[in-house]
Amino acid sequence: MADVEPLLSASGLALERGGRQLFSGLSVAVRPGQLVQVEGANGAGKTSLLRILAGLSRHGFEGRVTRSAPLLFLGHHPAVKGLLTPRENLRWHPAGEGSHDDSAIEAALAAVGLYGYEDVPAHSLSAGQHRRVNLARLYLSTSPLWLLDEPFTAIDRDGVAALQALFVSHAERGGAVLFTSHQPLAVSYRVDAVVLGAELAA
Amino acid sequence: MSGAPGALTFAGRLLRRQLTLALRRPVAVFNPLLFFAMVVALFPLGLGPAPDRLADFAPGILWIIALLANLLSAEGLFRSDFEDGSLEQLLLSPQPLYLSVLAYVLAHWLLTGVLLAVIAPLFAVMLNLPAAALPVLVASLLLGSGVLSFVGSIGAALTVGLRRGGMLIALLVLPFYMPVLIFGAGAVEAGLAGLPVAPFLAILGALFSLAAALGPFAIGAGLRISVDA
């Protein structure tokens, strides 16, 4: 698998925050078919690493990042507007990526358990349902690489299982997922790990 | 599954999104109008109700209020998108940022500048501005408020990450508002005096073209800095 061109590669990454060296000399390569879990204690720099890899942070770190495929990034904030319905949130999504036709949006919302909520103003939905509207983007996505920051937060047990199954099918189709999470994935698929803060503990 | 939408289709979607969001919270749309109405109603009380004195001051008064109303509404242009993560998504989008930013500014211009320009004749009559000067008032406000929206958006993009950016944005953008104020009010004065107004409107039009051509680059760069910090 090592001979396949990586979708994303980074080398020599080093980041310092508030006088603390979060990581240094970190290299990451994500190839098609890979599931990569970023692990580390709170404050170990998982979110910072994801923002660097996604290209949201462009300054203040060392190393270089090469992105060779379109990517989808889901951060801590769900980017769901309370004044819009879930359908409108997806149709007019500012990421401008993926499928936008109505039947695909309905199918994606049904897949995340929001069947019947398509045209309800999102401010009447719960926090977990907001996260689910955001996760529906995964079903519409056409990007091979997904960067997901804590995708399981506020998602119930069945939702987590469905999400993990989606990761596997995405990887089997030649995509790749790099995600941060504290819980291990319950899937029969190889999951690679990037552990932050390991050298400090050792 | 269809692929990503075309650049213009996407910009059109963003514009619809912004307009829908604004119209579902009409208070935000009416606030600048209410501000306009209040200040216009206060001036005759402060200056005295002598009709010819009000008419003398009317071009300047109307233009200053339009400028302040624009400044007040520009501040929040990117605020909610910054807070809920939509801005991150916009910056990561494969779509050209130039057109996306243009959609945001266009929505802001339609909801403040164009709306104020359309309502302005009503307020102008309250200040006894002669009817002959009304067309040039509307034309100068239409062009000038476009420039104000672009310049104000640059300030909004740079200060969106700050908790209290209100005063800073005023300091940043007010100097750039001055030419618009001078030529805008000048156009109405010229119209009042029966002088040719075309040169004033041409300068406003040139400023508008310049702002539309270069402004989105500055706004995009400002947004990147704010999200990076």
Side-chain angles (χ1 to χ4, degrees):
Chain A
M1 206 153 83
D3 53 337
V4 188
E5 270 300 293
L7 300 169
L8 171 88
S9 65
S11 58
L13 288 181
L15 179 72
E16 192 193 290
R17 276 286 153 86
R20 270 192 339 122
Q21 192 74 34
L22 291 179
F23 46 81
S24 64
L26 183 70
S27 292
V28 183
V30 185
R31 294 189 165 78
Q34 257 191 316
L35 298 183
V36 183
Q37 178 166 14
V38 180
E39 294 168 50
N42 294 127
K46 299 188 294 297
T47 295
S48 305
L49 175 64
L50 240 68
R51 290 177 69 87
I52 289 172
L53 293 178
L56 281 171
S57 297
R58 300 179 156 206
H59 306 283
F61 68 94
E62 288 168 38
R64 47 179 296 129
V65 182
T66 314
R67 284 172 286 272
S68 35
L71 63 86
L72 177 148
F73 170 83
L74 298 188
H76 278 291
H77 302 294
V80 171
K81 289 275 179 222
L83 288 172
L84 301 179
T85 65
R87 187 198 301 277
E88 290 165 340
N89 265 301
L90 293 174
R91 188 193 295 151
W92 300 330
H93 201 278
E97 176 259 11
S99 170
H100 291 258
D101 64 76
D102 239 17
S103 56
I105 289 176
E106 278 169 19
L109 285 171
V112 293
L114 288 176
Y115 178 78
Y117 290 96
E118 295 91 346
D119 299 311
V120 178
H123 58 70
S124 62
L125 301 180
S126 74
Q129 285 173 317
H130 274 212
R131 306 264 332 170
R132 281 169 177 268
V133 173
N134 201 23
L135 290 171
R137 287 186 52 212
L138 297 177
Y139 291 90
L140 298 168
S141 172
T142 50
S143 300
L145 178 62
W146 296 350
L147 299 180
L148 314 176
D149 198 359
E150 302 284 359
F152 307 127
T153 305
I155 300 295
D156 58 37
R157 199 176 302 167
D158 292 344
V160 170
L163 203 52
Q164 298 188 350
L166 179 67
F167 288 3
V168 171
S169 71
H170 182 62
E172 282 169 347
R173 283 199 310 266
V177 187
L178 184 139
F179 62 99
T180 67
S181 178
H182 294 287
Q183 63 189 86
L185 239 59
V187 294
S188 52
Y189 193 90
R190 195 187 129 162
V191 181
D192 300 292
V194 173
V195 183
L196 296 181
E199 64 263 46
L200 296 178
Chain B
M1 283 227 295
S2 59
L8 281 177
T9 317
F10 177 65
R13 276 185 191 142
L14 278 184
L15 180 62
R16 275 197 68 188
R17 175 177 181 266
Q18 289 303 105
L19 294 178
T20 308
L21 279 171
L23 295 179
R24 295 221 176 130
R25 221 164 54 89
V27 180
V29 179
F30 286 118
N31 264 345
L33 294 181
L34 194 67
F35 175 75
F36 209 129
M38 276 192 321
V39 183
V40 166
L42 287 176
F43 262 99
L45 300 176
L47 287 173
D52 30 330
R53 190 195 293 184
L54 277 180
D56 280 347
F57 287 126
I61 294 173
L62 290 168
W63 251 99
I64 290 173
I65 305 170
L67 184 146
L68 290 177
N70 196 286
L71 181 65
L72 290 176
S73 64
E75 197 218 331
L77 182 55
F78 299 108
R79 174 88 52 211
S80 85
D81 276 359
F82 177 78
E83 282 166 358
D84 69 15
S86 302
L87 204 53
E88 293 174 357
Q89 297 295 335
L90 184 72
L91 293 179
L92 289 175
S93 163
Q95 306 284 349
L97 188 57
Y98 185 93
L99 287 177
S100 310
V101 165
L102 210 54
Y104 271 77
V105 181
L106 189 62
H108 179 257
W109 180 51
L110 288 174
L111 291 168
T112 57
V114 173
L115 204 58
L116 281 183
V118 170
I119 302 277
L122 186 69
F123 296 124
V125 170
M126 288 169 67
L127 291 176
N128 199 35
L129 190 74
L134 291 185
V136 59
L137 173 72
V138 173
S140 68
L141 278 177
L142 275 178
L143 286 172
S145 63
V147 187
L148 299 183
S149 281
F150 276 107
V151 175
S153 302
I154 299 176
L158 283 169
T159 56
V160 67
L162 308 174
R163 225 168 279 278
R164 299 199 199 290
M167 247 3 250
L168 186 61
I169 182 175
L171 285 173
L172 280 175
V173 304
L174 271 180
F176 297 98
Y177 275 11
M178 291 305 119
V180 182
L181 175 63
I182 291 166
F183 289 109
V188 186
E189 299 265 13
L192 267 182
L195 299 170
V197 297
F200 289 96
L201 294 182
I203 290 177
L204 285 177
L207 288 173
F208 184 54
S209 314
L210 188 71
L214 299 180
F217 290 114
I219 298 165
L223 290 177
R224 283 204 194 282
I225 294 170
S226 291
V227 167
D228 195 340

